[in-house]
Amino acid sequence: MKKMLMVSMGLCALMFVSENGYAQNIEEVVVIEKRGGDSGIENYDENQIRFFELEKELNSLKGKELNFTGFIGTKVEIEQLSGDVDAGKVKFILAEGSIKHKNYDNWSMYYNVAKEQIFSSKMWDRSNSPQNTIVEIVPRYQKSFNNDKGFGAFEFIYTSESIDNRDAVKLKPSVYYKLNEKLALNNSFLIGREFKGGYDDYELIELEPGFGYKLRGDFGMGINYFFKWGQTSNERFTERERFFKPYVWKSFEGLGLGLSLWGEIGPYSNNDGARHNNTKFGITGNKTLTETLKVVGEVSYKREEQKSSKKDIDVTFVMLGLQYSF
C-alpha cells in the first residue's frame, strides 16, 4: 500500500512539472517500482517515442504563422462515350494543388498527379485497356497593375504522360482587366510543343479572348471565344478547333454554394477529312463544408456529329473532388 502511494505521488509530481513547462527533455527509459519490491527499467517502444516527438513538434508550432498558403485536393473523373462509339476513361487525380509563399505573393506553383484508365471498347472492360500516368507542374507569376484593376500572368506548363512517352512544354501569358465595377475583359495565349516517343512531335497554339459582366454581386455572365491550331512537326497532319464558350454564374453565400452553367459550341476539322459539329454544356459547382474544406463537382454532356464517318457520339463527363485550403 505504501509503495502504491509513492507511485501515485510520483506520477502527480510528474504531471505538475509537465503542466508548468519544466520538463524539457523526454527520456527513452523510466525507472519504476515493481509490486514485488524490486526496481526495474521499462523501455518505451518506437511508437511511444515517436508519439512524444510528434507532440513536441506540434506544441512548437502553436502560435507560429505558416508562411505558405494554397490548397491540396483529390478528384475522380469519369468520361463515357456512347452512341456509335462505345469507350471511355476513368481518371484518378491523386494529388492536385497550388502553393505560394507569403513573402513572394506574385509567385505560385500548381501541380497535378493523376492515373488514367482508358477503355478503348466497352466501358469498364479492362482487357486491352491502357493506363496513363500524368504529371503536371506549372510555375506561375502574376502581377497586378493600375491600382489592382487588372493583372497579368505568365505560366510555364510542363506535362508528362506515360501512355505514349509524351512530354509537353507550353508557355501561357494571360491578362485580366476591369473596365468598371461590372465589365471585365480577359485574354490568354498559349503556345506549346509535345514530344512523343515513336511519333512525330506536335505543335499547338491556343487563343482565348472574352469578357465577363457582373449583373450584381452574386450573379454574372460572360462569353469567351476559343481557337486552337495544331500540326505535327512534319506538317502531314493539321487540325483546327474553334468554339464559343458562354457561361452564367451564381453564388449562394448563405449556403456556401457556387454554381456555373456553361457551354461550348463550334466545329472541329483536320486535313484527314474529319469534320465535327460539337455542342457541349455543363454545370460546375463548389460547396464549402468548413473554413478550410470544400467539395467541387462537374457534370457535362457533349454531342459530336462526325460528318465524314457519319457517326454521332455522346460524351458524358462526371467529376467529384475534395479540396483543403491552408
Side-chain angles (χ1 to χ4, degrees), residues 157-168:
I157 305 170
Y158 169 76
T159 307
S160 176
E161 300 188 41
S162 64
I163 194 167
D164 52 9
N165 296 322
R166 180 188 310 179
D167 291 294

Side-chain angles (χ1 to χ4, degrees), residues 73-79 89-96 112-117 119 123-124 295-299 316-323:
T74 182
K75 295 177 182 175
V76 178
E77 299 178 355
I78 301 175
E79 186 176 82
K89 63 181 178 181
V90 177
K91 184 176 182 180
F92 296 95
I93 300 178
L94 307 176
E96 176 190 39
N112 185 309
V113 180
K115 192 78 172 179
E116 192 175 57
Q117 180 86 50
F119 303 95
M123 189 69 169
W124 307 108
V295 174
V296 295
E298 180 180 320
V299 178
T316 305
F317 176 85
V318 178
M319 180 273 288
L320 185 64
L322 193 64
Q323 290 183 356

Side-chain angles (χ1 to χ4, degrees), residues 250-309:
K250 167 72 175 171
S251 62
F252 304 87
E253 293 186 5
L255 301 175
L257 179 66
L259 296 175
S260 177
L261 181 65
W262 50 269
E264 297 178 358
I265 305 169
Y268 165 87
S269 63
N270 63 41
N271 64 342
D272 287 347
R275 299 288 186 274
H276 300 173
N277 283 330
N278 298 327
T279 304
K280 182 178 182 179
F281 59 89
I283 184 169
T284 303
N286 61 81
K287 167 68 173 150
T288 300
L289 300 179
T290 67
E291 187 177 348
T292 57
L293 203 59
K294 179 188 297 185
V295 174
V296 295
E298 180 180 320
V299 178
S300 68
Y301 168 79
K302 181 179 180 180
R303 178 76 168 183
E304 290 186 4
E305 298 177 355
Q306 299 186 359
K307 295 181 178 180
S308 57
S309 60

Side-chain angles (χ1 to χ4, degrees), residues 55-67:
E55 186 179 37
K56 189 175 181 180
E57 292 171 6
L58 288 172
N59 289 333
S60 67
L61 288 174
K62 288 181 179 179
K64 292 185 178 180
E65 185 179 0
L66 294 177
N67 290 323

Side-chain angles (χ1 to χ4, degrees), residues 41-92:
I41 295 178
E42 178 181 84
N43 291 297
Y44 289 130
D45 60 27
E46 293 182 0
N47 290 332
Q48 288 174 300
I49 295 172
R50 184 58 184 151
F51 171 80
F52 287 126
E53 290 175 349
L54 289 173
E55 186 179 37
K56 189 175 181 180
E57 292 171 6
L58 288 172
N59 289 333
S60 67
L61 288 174
K62 288 181 179 179
K64 292 185 178 180
E65 185 179 0
L66 294 177
N67 290 323
F68 291 94
T69 61
F71 78 93
I72 184 170
T74 182
K75 295 177 182 175
V76 178
E77 299 178 355
I78 301 175
E79 186 176 82
Q80 170 87 54
L81 278 66
S82 57
D84 294 327
V85 174
D86 194 1
K89 63 181 178 181
V90 177
K91 184 176 182 180
F92 296 95

